[in-house]
Amino acid sequence: MDYESLGAQALDSIAKAQDLDALDALRVAFLGKQGSISGLLKTLGAMSPEERQTTGPKIHALREGVTNALADKKAALESAALEAKLAAETVDLTLPAPENARGSVHPVSQVMDELAEIFADLGFAVATGPEIEDDWHNFTALNMPESHPARAMHDTFYIDKAASGYETEQDMVLRTHTSPVQIRAMLAAGGDKPLRIIAPGRVYRSDSDATHTPMFHQVEGLVIGKDITLAHLKWTLETMLKAFFERDDIVLRLRPSYFPFTEPSVEVDTGYSYVDGRRVVGGSGDAPGHSWMELLGSGMVNRHVLTAGGYDPDQWQGFAFGVGVDRLAMLKYGMNDLRAFFDGDARWLGHYGFSGLDVPTLSGGVGVQA
């Protein structure tokens, strides 16, 4: 057989191929299982050693030449196809790039991060605890005996122990505040060292209107030491609120009140005014055009609570406070209905949400300027 003629014919056919489909058909015709060159390779087994030594190199050279020609032609056709596609698909670089869909950080998450940043600068650690609590941690250890009205069914979500699988004789509740975290932190500290923590998280109460929801968010603070006074409490709250609202004119008013877990207890009011129909925190409530607004509750830790946490109330004392994170978010960023926080409306979140890159820092500003 004239292997040179067969090779020339194959190379000529490959060179004339117009597209990748035609080229692939030639590959099958020459090198496929039933291809002409593959058939020649199969004849080598029936040849004598002398014939195989003479004919074998010619057939292998023929296959190699066709294989290389197919690869070169395929590369040339692909390059031509790409150039044609690029010529047809022009891009106008002056047009704005399409906006990619992106998520938003919820205002509650943002405010929690802002508060954590502020309190970290004041030397506070962040403590967490379970959201399903037992009766002792949620009520008794916080100086709320069985007859206390805070245990009423209309205020508290009780857990069915039989259905929940909890093996305990105590009542189980969805925690009504993050104060149980304070008890757990005190017990973990062993009653013999100073403590400075905040406890942010979700809490639950049977209440629902424009300013209350069955689930909401709190951050509570606890400081325990040997010489802690109400003056330390006021300075801490004043410093925190100035940093949070990013204003130096925050004025606080402390009013006597009652909380079972603090004694003495004080309600903390802050001055505010209305600017363009929006409540803006700042200034004294006694100044013209200003009023006072209750913001949070606080006080010196009750002796019974210190004892439940393992501290000797004759040696240690401290202060505690609690404030609604959702309420702070509403005041700072201008929301007027707490229920919208939990509606899951993407339009609301698109308006009030934050970019994931808006990380609160004290140097760059913990939030967005009003």
Side-chain angles (χ1 to χ4, degrees):
M1 176 178 288
D2 188 351
Y3 298 111
E4 292 183 1
S5 298
L6 179 58
Q9 177 187 350
L11 295 178
D12 182 63
S13 299
I14 293 171
K16 293 179 179 179
Q18 297 296 313
D19 53 45
L20 291 174
D21 290 337
L23 186 66
D24 192 61
L26 291 173
R27 179 190 62 80
V28 173
F30 292 123
L31 301 178
K33 290 184 178 181
Q34 305 300 323
S36 56
I37 296 177
S38 298
L40 291 176
L41 289 171
K42 295 176 182 178
T43 64
L44 292 175
M47 295 181 183
S48 64
E50 293 77 10
E51 291 177 319
R52 191 180 305 117
Q53 188 174 5
T54 303
T55 307
K58 296 179 181 179
I59 298 176
H60 285 294
L62 175 61
R63 182 183 65 172
E64 184 176 355
V66 172
T67 299
N68 291 338
L70 286 168
D72 292 343
K73 186 64 175 180
K74 181 180 180 182
L77 289 173
E78 288 178 341
S79 177
L82 179 59
E83 291 180 3
K85 183 176 181 180
L86 291 175
E89 295 181 358
T90 58
V91 177
D92 187 349
L93 297 180
T94 64
L95 292 175
E99 183 175 350
N100 294 325
R102 61 180 183 178
S104 300
V105 176
H106 197 283
V108 168
S109 299
Q110 181 75 8
V111 168
M112 279 193 172
D113 288 345
E114 293 176 12
L115 293 172
E117 177 71 15
I118 293 168
F119 280 110
D121 192 62
L122 295 175
F124 284 70
V126 176
T128 59
E131 294 182 21
I132 298 179
E133 267 292 5
D134 60 63
D135 181 277
W136 188 83
H137 283 92
N138 196 79
F139 293 124
T140 307
L142 294 164
N143 197 35
M144 286 183 279
E146 292 185 4
S147 59
H148 197 280
R151 297 178 179 232
M153 289 296 293
H154 65 271
D155 288 330
T156 306
F157 291 106
Y158 283 86
I159 304 296
D160 188 332
K161 288 181 291 187
S164 66
Y166 284 97
E167 297 181 2
T168 175
E169 294 299 321
Q170 296 190 55
D171 289 328
M172 302 298 293
V173 300
L174 294 179
R175 66 182 183 189
T176 57
H177 41 196
T178 57
S179 300
V181 178
Q182 298 182 21
I183 297 296
R184 293 179 180 274
M186 292 164 66
L187 292 172
D192 59 356
K193 59 178 67 70
L195 197 60
R196 193 180 302 180
I197 64 164
I198 59 169
R202 289 183 290 265
V203 298
Y204 306 84
R205 297 178 191 174
S206 295
D207 205 353
S208 182
D209 56 42
T211 57
H212 299 83
T213 54
M215 185 275 287
F216 56 102
H217 301 82
Q218 273 189 343
V219 60
E220 298 192 8
L222 173 68
V223 172
I224 294 178
K226 291 292 183 70
D227 300 303
I228 302 299
T229 68
L230 271 175
H232 296 112
L233 168 63
K234 184 178 181 181
W235 179 89
T236 300
L237 295 177
E238 193 173 66
T239 302
M240 179 271 287
L241 292 173
K242 285 181 178 180
F244 177 74
F245 288 107
E246 300 182 76
R247 296 177 63 112
D248 292 327
D249 62 342
I250 300 296
V251 179
L252 302 184
R253 181 180 71 175
L254 274 58
R255 292 182 291 104
S257 186
Y258 166 76
F259 302 110
F261 25 77
T262 53
E263 185 181 2
S265 302
V266 291
E267 296 277 6
V268 179
D269 301 335
T270 184
Y272 76 96
S273 60
Y274 280 100
V275 179
D276 296 328
R278 173 183 167 186
R279 185 176 297 189
V280 176
V281 175
S284 170
D286 294 326
H290 288 65
S291 300
W292 292 106
M293 171 180 57
E294 177 190 329
L295 189 60
L296 58 92
S298 61
M300 301 299 293
V301 180
N302 190 289
R303 291 175 58 88
H304 298 297
V305 176
L306 287 171
T307 301
Y311 282 84
D312 182 354
D314 294 325
Q315 299 293 325
W316 298 87
Q317 56 194 26
F319 66 75
F321 60 86
V323 60
V325 176
D326 318 86
R327 180 175 175 80
L328 289 177
M330 293 173 70
L331 288 172
K332 185 172 183 178
Y333 296 116
M335 300 89 160
N336 57 12
D337 193 331
L338 184 60
R339 292 169 293 191
F341 279 58
F342 310 103
D343 283 344
D345 190 330
R347 297 167 301 176
W348 183 91
L349 188 57
H351 178 74
Y352 288 110
F354 293 80
S355 166
L357 300 178
D358 291 336
V359 179
T361 61
L362 290 178
S363 59
V366 293
V368 176
Q369 293 290 344

